[in-house]
Amino acid sequence: MTGSLDERLDAIFEAVLDYEDEKTERLVREELAHGTDLQVILNDALISAMDEVGDLFSEGALFVPEMLMAARAMKAGLEVLRPLLADTDSKPVGTIVLGTVHRDLHDIGKNLVGMMLEGAGFTVVNLGVDVPPENFLEAVHEHHPDVIGMSALLTTTMPNMGKTIQLLRKEGWNGHIMIGGAPVNQEFADAIGADGFAADAPGAVELARRMIGAA
Ligand code: B1M
């Protein structure tokens, strides 16, 4: 596609809002060929499209099936960026277990965090979505991570972060715990005893590095 950068980013934004997976994928590929910074594509086209979807959902202008279709288009675009986000020759700096907490099915942000952590040299064990506290504990025994990262997008599932931390600490695990997700903040992290909070994927990388003393 030709046109100014703004017009091209707008076309990606619209493709997500039109639930067009293939078009989103193609336009993101073309945008990379234009030499556009991938953070610009991420923030100004893909993530802003999901924010718009969220706003339309809040207004009652679209519903869960549409939200799901938009998420699929967003993921198609994200997959094009994956090799670039995870492109690293660096030696593994540490292991991080990542998961979206129990009863929460949102995984786009968590997967983006995972891709960027891989890009920074972390070994990432992604437990997926709807992960009960016991499964985080099981992963600790299996993978011996340096850091556990939990994501939550719903105010109703945020308490499951606290429950997971309680179980991990009760069972004697004293590694680092980081949390994130749109409704989460530092105050909440402090209240539930998490070691840190990151607002976005680059922030999560910075925090993980600091946690293991590699920053
Ligand atoms: Co849902 N949903 N959803 N949804 N959804 C939200 C979150 C909502 C804000 C929409 C709205 O009302 N405006 C709202 C939550 C309200 C609230 O609790 N405050 C909501 C709701 C209500 C629901 C349902 C309850 C709807 C229903 O059924 N009635 C339902 C719940 C299902 C469940 O989980 N049990 C539901 C379902 C879904 C879909 C399945 C359809 C789909 C998810 C598909 C998927 O993920 N595979 C979906 C989507 C797509 C959204 C929105 C539109 C987009 C989320 C997203 O992917 N954002 C969302 C509105 C919004 O966020 N604007 C909404 C892009 C992503 C890159 O950002 O995930 O914030 P984010 O991640 C960021 C940071 O938060 C941070 O870094 C990321 C990158 O910068 N981060 C971390 C995230 N995890 C981190 C972990 C870290 C560190 C940083 O350390 C470990």
Side-chain angles (χ1 to χ4, degrees), residues 39-138:
Q39 293 296 340
V40 171
I41 302 175
L42 252 181
N43 294 322
D44 299 350
L46 294 172
I47 293 181
S48 55
M50 295 316 285
D51 285 342
E52 177 69 11
V53 168
D55 290 346
L56 292 169
F57 177 78
S58 297
E59 290 162 16
L62 57 75
F63 303 94
V64 172
E66 287 92 349
M67 223 167 23
L68 206 49
M69 289 190 288
R72 213 170 49 204
M74 157 95 185
K75 282 184 172 187
L78 210 51
E79 279 309 312
V80 179
L81 302 180
R82 176 190 284 274
L84 299 169
L85 288 165
D87 183 19
T88 177
D89 288 332
S90 51
K91 295 207 169 55
V93 290
T95 298
I96 176 156
V97 163
L98 268 189
T100 303
V101 295
H102 197 28
R103 302 202 184 286
D104 198 320
L105 302 176
H106 297 84
D107 67 355
I108 295 174
K110 183 256 303 164
N111 291 344
L112 181 56
V113 167
M115 286 178 203
M116 290 199 71
L117 284 166
E118 281 175 6
F122 282 86
T123 301
V124 175
V125 180
N126 193 334
L127 301 181
V129 297
D130 189 15
V131 182
E134 299 73 29
N135 292 21
F136 280 103
L137 181 62
E138 211 175 284

Side-chain angles (χ1 to χ4, degrees), residues 110-169:
K110 183 256 303 164
N111 291 344
L112 181 56
V113 167
M115 286 178 203
M116 290 199 71
L117 284 166
E118 281 175 6
F122 282 86
T123 301
V124 175
V125 180
N126 193 334
L127 301 181
V129 297
D130 189 15
V131 182
E134 299 73 29
N135 292 21
F136 280 103
L137 181 62
E138 211 175 284
V140 158
H141 294 139
E142 194 180 339
H143 302 286
H144 309 287
D146 303 284
V147 181
I148 287 208
M150 287 184 272
S151 180
L153 264 285
L154 300 172
T155 44
T156 49
T157 58
M158 285 165 64
N160 294 332
M161 294 179 146
K163 287 184 185 154
T164 304
I165 294 176
Q166 276 174 19
L167 179 70
L168 291 170
R169 295 310 188 213

